[in-house]
Amino acid sequence: MATLLHIDSSVFPTDASSSRAVTDAFRRTWQEQHPAGTVIHRDLALNPVPHISAHAHTAGFADPATHTPEQAAAFAERVALIEELERADAVLIGAPMYNLTIPSTLKAWLDQVVLFGRTAGEAQSVKGTPVTVVASRGGAYGPGTPREGYEYVQNYLSAVLADFLGADLEFIVPELTMAPANPEMADLVPLFEASRERALDEAAARAKQLAQRLAA
């Protein structure tokens, strides 16, 4: 039975969050296709993980036998998150764009699970794990758009998840999500709606494909 690790980081509930709406569509399709599988849902907005501390950081580069009590406690929290990631057969991440980058709660989780010598570097204990990121954004930041140079979400997550961790990474990008709420973007609502429907379809297709592959 395959395990899906589902991580959400939007501060908004599903009915007000594009990233949550799309990750929810992915998860529902996954469960329909693979009812015997396991889903671990980590909601970083409701239950944020600690930002990495000096004790947790330095412990990652020291022999466990030399850890102080503070290092040992902080490192144990990192290891628990890393082991949860390592047990996952597939990972789903909701990563809305806030002020041009990812939510700080998601950055905190990444700082905890990126550990050179284990998940990153030569070891890459989660290498090849399929990771699907729903990278929603209020505007448009794709190639050829005026704000192309401000796209820091996909660039950053590609470096961390694909390059550092070796994950099999795929993005789903619902964009122009602010159009329905911003009168100045009213003429972009049809493009937002098309982007949203495309993202929902892509999420369902990706979930179905992964669930069937991992259940085989």
Side-chain angles (χ1 to χ4, degrees), residues 137-140 175-192:
R137 61 276 315 275
E175 59 183 9
L176 300 169
T177 63
M178 289 297 297
N182 186 345
E184 294 182 0
M185 298 175 67
D187 59 333
L188 298 175
V189 169
L191 291 177
F192 153 72

Side-chain angles (χ1 to χ4, degrees), residues 85-140:
L85 174 61
E86 290 173 337
R87 287 194 299 269
D89 299 289
V91 181
L92 170 66
I93 300 175
M97 178 185 281
Y98 291 166
N99 297 317
L100 304 180
T101 188
I102 62 174
S104 64
T105 51
L106 180 55
K107 177 63 164 60
W109 180 80
L110 288 168
D111 286 341
Q112 296 283 6
V113 301
V114 174
L115 179 60
F116 281 86
R118 181 163 179 173
T119 58
E122 293 184 4
Q124 292 185 318
S125 60
V126 296
K127 183 176 182 178
T129 300
V131 176
T132 305
V133 174
V134 178
S136 61
R137 61 276 315 275

Side-chain angles (χ1 to χ4, degrees), residues 30-47:
W30 168 282
Q31 291 173 316
E32 290 168 0
Q33 295 293 319
H34 190 34
T38 299
V39 175
I40 299 170
H41 186 206
R42 183 171 285 278
D43 191 327
L44 297 176
L46 292 178
N47 296 293

